[in-house]
Amino acid sequence: MSAAWIPVLCLGVCLLLPEPAGSEGAVPIAITCFTRGLDIRKEKADVLCPGDCPLEELSVFGNIVYASVSSICGAAIHRGVIGNSGGPVRIYSLPGRENYSSVVANGIQSQTLSRWSASFTVTKGRSGTQEATGRAVSTARPATGKRLKKTPEKKAGNKDCKADIAFLIDGSFNIGQRRFNLQKNFVGKVALMLGIGTEGPHVGLVQASEHPKIEFYLKNFTSAKDVLFAIKEVGFRGGNSNTGKALKHTAQKFFTADTGVRKGIPKVVVVFIDGWPSDDIEEAGIVAREFGVNVFIVSVAKPIPEELGMVQDVAFVDKAVCRNNGFFSYHMPNWFGTTKYVKPLVQKLCAHEQMMCSKTCYNSVNIAFLIDGSSSVGDSNFRLMLEFVSNIAKTFEISDIGAKIAAVQFTYDQRTEFSFTDYSTKENVLAVIRNIRYMSGGTATGDAISFTVRNVFGPMRDSPNKNFLVIVTDGQSYDDVRGPAAAAHDAGITIFSVGVAWAPLDDLKDMASKPKESHAFFTREFTGLEPIVSDVIRGICRDFLESQQ
């Protein structure tokens, strides 16, 4: 009997694949939600997907035709072959492609990928006449008699090295195929030592040549194993080394929320230059700084004296880096024996406190709120004060290496509601602000300022962030505010004073930093706090920028 043929997909032309002989009685291989196409080393196979796969954790690249690094079950759900209850799937291996598209389907957002070495597609499978047996296939190793380990959870990575990093490699004719491969090998070693993971550094790759090409984004891979495989698959493009063009493209297109950039995490691009760039790199460096990107230049084989006449700008390294202070430039004599250069470069990339170009008013400030809880406020107005505090706090990029928020409530006494180190996510900070309980009592603002400087800002003495104190009060203080406020100013704390109702203007000005008119605010009604939110935020950003100059 001749073999039956079944249509698998139509992309302009219908592709027919042969029905596997004897497939009616074939027993599908049980796999896990995370088994990838490359783990099934067969041209065609019947597999059985489990139910209740976590859709948001499934990595899928492409549409109809999927990169082999994709989850088989994820691809099957994405294409509608099975639902989330699982079921039999037939997988066909296909050649690699240049581009895999991004499409939302059946609750899964597939991702783009510029190139991969192998692909697969899926159709409805047959469960066979017997129940599927055996353990789930979760690795690329063929089944043996040994018990297979459970699918490992996604690794958190090196939590002390939080950075979003783009490696901008040289793919020009200037470097050549052999040195290009050595360059990839070095980048792979750096990526491995970084400790890539969900909560650690994320990396992507861009190739500079005649025209820049983003090979993969930050969001595409969160494990070192997958990153190393992706780097290995990158092909040499050739052309001129238009590094400036590639750096500008990377700064503008690579670091976006859609491509996986994280708030509060330093953005870094590591530029590898073999020899010298063919175009202007200074302007690209300026653009990168405007986008808050830290530019590192790794130069290899500097031009010799007789080659300097060919270099457009001999000071291109100093003009392209984030800061011309020696930290952001790195030199290797050649691409041979580079292992000893890996660790020092990794240490630089993990020194987030020195990533000056990533520092903005939104991610590099400590803001403490001093909230009046006296009897004259009342519970309903106290809630409006908390809303005012929340609306300011939620503007900033709160994280363990970003902006930090603290709050103190005061009457005659003071109560630290939470300190700078208590909560490192915006959600937690906003939740605890909402739940602050109204104290009720007198008004001793001076003592409250001294308490906050000593107990809240004191432990943050070595913090690289700029310190701000926002005071919200509705009445006159029973004690002196001038002395404690002056001590806070001397300690490097910028004070914004916000008065409501009976708060005397003299007190507000005595507490506020200079110039007084831009740091002291007053509203007759508590409902008038809302318009002041934007004034305080703008003031914090203005003061931050001035402190950086």
Side-chain angles (χ1 to χ4, degrees), residues 181-196:
N181 290 336
L182 292 171
Q183 176 186 218
K184 287 200 302 178
N185 185 47
F186 177 76
V187 172
K189 290 177 181 177
V190 173
L192 189 62
M193 185 170 282
L194 279 170
I196 296 166

Side-chain angles (χ1 to χ4, degrees), residues 305-341:
E306 50 266 36
E307 292 175 328
L308 291 177
M310 304 167 63
V311 182
Q312 193 174 77
D313 187 348
V314 293
F316 68 85
V317 171
D318 291 338
K319 292 180 179 179
V321 292
C322 167
R323 288 281 191 279
N324 181 16
N325 59 4
F327 177 79
F328 293 93
S329 53
Y330 196 71
H331 179 68
M332 298 190 300
N334 54 58
W335 289 111
F336 301 95
T338 56
T339 301
K340 63 184 177 183
Y341 297 102

Side-chain angles (χ1 to χ4, degrees), residues 78-335:
H78 183 264
R79 198 179 175 200
V81 169
I82 59 172
N84 203 28
S85 57
V89 175
R90 181 163 293 163
I91 175 173
Y92 295 89
S93 63
L94 297 170
R97 341 175 31 145
E98 283 294 319
N99 289 293
Y100 297 87
S101 59
S102 171
V103 177
V104 179
N106 300 310
I108 292 181
Q109 167 75 67
S110 72
Q111 301 176 54
T112 58
L113 193 59
S114 58
R115 178 190 293 125
W116 203 254
S117 59
S119 311
F120 69 87
T121 190
V122 287
T123 64
K124 288 187 180 295
R126 293 175 181 160
S127 57
T129 56
Q130 308 171 42
E131 184 180 349
T133 58
R135 294 193 172 271
V137 176
S138 59
T139 70
R141 296 190 182 98
T144 65
K146 296 179 181 179
R147 177 173 179 157
L148 295 178
K149 294 180 181 179
K150 293 181 179 178
T151 302
E153 295 180 4
K154 291 187 177 181
K155 290 186 177 179
N158 182 6
K159 296 181 182 179
D160 295 327
C161 180
K162 290 191 175 181
D164 286 341
I165 303 170
F167 291 113
L168 178 54
I169 62 174
D170 189 343
S172 67
F173 286 136
N174 193 48
I175 192 171
Q177 178 73 64
R178 185 186 180 208
R179 296 203 306 274
F180 178 78
N181 290 336
L182 292 171
Q183 176 186 218
K184 287 200 302 178
N185 185 47
F186 177 76
V187 172
K189 290 177 181 177
V190 173
L192 189 62
M193 185 170 282
L194 279 170
I196 296 166
T198 54
E199 297 179 47
H202 291 182
V203 305
L205 192 73
V206 184
Q207 184 174 175
S209 56
E210 194 72 36
H211 302 288
K213 182 180 182 185
I214 297 175
E215 300 290 353
F216 58 89
Y217 288 102
L218 295 165
K219 69 177 183 180
N220 290 147
F221 310 106
T222 53
S223 77
K225 177 183 174 184
D226 289 339
V227 167
L228 291 176
F229 189 79
I231 291 171
K232 182 182 177 183
E233 293 294 302
V234 172
F236 177 59
R237 293 176 62 80
N240 288 324
S241 56
N242 290 333
T243 310
K245 184 178 180 181
L247 175 56
K248 189 174 181 180
H249 181 77
T250 304
Q252 294 174 327
K253 305 294 184 184
F254 183 88
F255 295 100
T256 69
D258 289 341
T259 60
V261 75
R262 297 168 289 177
K263 285 188 175 182
I265 303 295
K267 294 179 286 189
V268 182
V269 56
V270 185
V271 184
F272 292 89
I273 298 179
D274 186 288
W276 60 91
S278 304
D279 61 348
D280 178 26
I281 198 172
E282 181 180 7
E283 181 190 353
I286 294 170
V287 171
R289 289 191 287 277
E290 288 175 349
F291 278 83
V293 177
N294 297 276
V295 178
F296 277 81
I297 299 290
V298 178
S299 55
V300 184
K302 288 181 178 178
I304 57 178
E306 50 266 36
E307 292 175 328
L308 291 177
M310 304 167 63
V311 182
Q312 193 174 77
D313 187 348
V314 293
F316 68 85
V317 171
D318 291 338
K319 292 180 179 179
V321 292
C322 167
R323 288 281 191 279
N324 181 16
N325 59 4
F327 177 79
F328 293 93
S329 53
Y330 196 71
H331 179 68
M332 298 190 300
N334 54 58
W335 289 111

